[in-house]
Amino acid sequence: MSVKITPDHLARAAVVYVRQSTMSQVTGNLESQRRQYDLAGAPEAAGFASVTVIDDDLGRSGSGAMQRPGFERLVAMVCSGDVGAVYCIEASRLARNGRDWHHLIDLCALAGTLVVDPDGAYDPRLVNDRLLLGLKGTMSEYELSLMRQRGIAARDSKAKRGEFRFMLPPGFCWSEAGKIEIDPDEHVADAIRLVFAMFRELGSARQVFLWLRSADIKMPVARRNVDVCKLVWKAPAYHSVMQILYNPLYAGAYAFGRTAQRTRIVDGRARKASGIRKPRDEWHVLLRDHHPGYISWQEYEDNQKLLLENAHMKKSCARKSARGGRALLTGLMRCGHCGRMMRVGYGMAKGNAHRYQCRGDDAHVGVGLCIGIGGVRIDRAVAMQILEAVSDRAVEAAIFASDQAERSSKDIIAAVERELEAARYDASLAGRRYELVDPAKASRRPRIGGALERCFGARGRT
């Protein structure tokens, strides 16, 4: 036992702080976890009044960008003056950033608490020990930055060759040769193809989502638990449809670094928000024709253009699609003076007449309207022009609509048949597994070992 551990320290409690940075380390690096828990035997052998193990931060990084309730509990216990020593396997377990590390050391110096690791005991009130603890904290922070820098450089280098593996969206899988290929499960692949086919037909992601909902067709969703990734079938969600339409991997392109992180200061601490979408020219890697896709790159470009036109809150001067409402030109009419989108105002009079209005620069109070015009006559004139343009091909349009309805019915029937086939396979697989493990059937089944013994015994006698 170190001479720095006095009876005053032994009369107080000892705290053993246990931490690992990620859940994969918690499930995979069991030896490191076991060493940290075994450290609780040291204060017991030293004779401390009590020993408390804090393991609330398993799976939490010590870089300072993540809230650590276990570390906050440790700081509170040190501030109370009831802690005689803080045990840790190394400095990096307590903190990987200078703010938390020096804050804890300052509190330990004020409360007369020791910091103990396998190399020895340190008293923060002593200048030499304070210097050594500061060096350990600085080296721990530098080590984390160096490992992160090396890892990012290696990852980006591998991604530029299209060889870096990441979790693929539903419809793709990694082959044994490290290549991206279409999922061999026809049920999954057909569901993805159905989304693109319906988007070509309906021209709207929301309409695709509503069609899938009305047809009661389930979509594959990737679920990841640490290192295990599997597909589950769920009712379609709007964001799932949008992710399929926006992802360039479905067009056969290897894309990496499409999102970024944004750091904010919350309660004096850095908090990172991930998933911030970046413009295409800022992506780290984009390799076209990298693997087989569900659509071509040109079709992907057309889809992105159509999605942008459907989004009325982005790029107000671009062409937009029509919107709902009684007015015929809602979302389509622009002001001839300023180019802004004209809004629709519905009156309360009989007949529900409406007007198209451009408010101009309504950010400045008192500017007034730019243009206002009645909508009934305009809608009637435009409708007459549309009917005149399509009258020659009315029969073709009717036949096309009939074929479209028939194709939609066939798509629904095919999707239901695939789900039924998958359910029958799961039931059959469950039945075969039950047959193999049923104790009643196992008791009637002849023992393989006994049969082999009798066979070899008979051969030996001959």
Side-chain angles (χ1 to χ4, degrees), residues 305-332:
K305 182 179 179 180
L306 184 56
L307 289 171
L308 184 60
E309 293 176 353
N310 291 343
H312 281 256
M313 299 303 293
K314 297 180 180 179
K315 292 187 177 182
S316 58
C317 291
R319 190 182 70 174
K320 299 299 178 183
S321 61
R323 306 192 71 176
R326 292 188 300 273
L328 180 63
L329 304 178
T330 306
L332 295 178

Side-chain angles (χ1 to χ4, degrees), residues 194-304:
L194 181 61
V195 172
F196 288 108
M198 295 309 301
F199 184 74
R200 286 192 298 269
E201 181 177 325
L202 301 176
S204 168
R206 176 171 174 78
Q207 294 302 318
V208 173
F209 161 69
L210 295 177
W211 184 87
L212 293 173
R213 280 281 188 174
S214 63
D216 196 21
I217 298 176
K218 292 182 172 56
M219 295 298 297
V221 179
R223 286 287 180 264
R224 183 170 183 176
N225 184 10
V226 190
D227 293 330
V228 179
C229 179
K230 67 175 183 178
L231 289 180
V232 295
W233 291 88
K234 301 181 65 177
Y238 179 71
H239 69 274
S240 300
V241 176
M242 294 297 293
Q243 287 173 356
I244 294 176
L245 296 175
Y246 273 118
N247 201 328
L249 267 73
Y250 291 106
Y254 181 95
F256 182 76
R258 296 185 296 123
T259 58
Q261 290 184 339
R262 181 177 299 169
T263 303
R264 298 182 296 118
I265 304 300
V266 180
D267 298 332
R269 289 184 174 274
R271 294 289 182 263
K272 292 184 178 181
S274 58
I276 310 297
R277 188 174 298 170
K278 298 191 298 185
R280 185 184 302 177
D281 55 357
E282 296 181 9
W283 293 357
H284 293 337
V285 180
L286 178 59
L287 304 176
R288 301 180 185 177
D289 301 326
H290 176 266
H291 56 270
Y294 288 86
I295 58 176
S296 64
W297 182 258
Q298 183 59 45
E299 185 175 353
Y300 172 79
E301 294 278 11
D302 296 340
N303 290 347
Q304 302 312 301

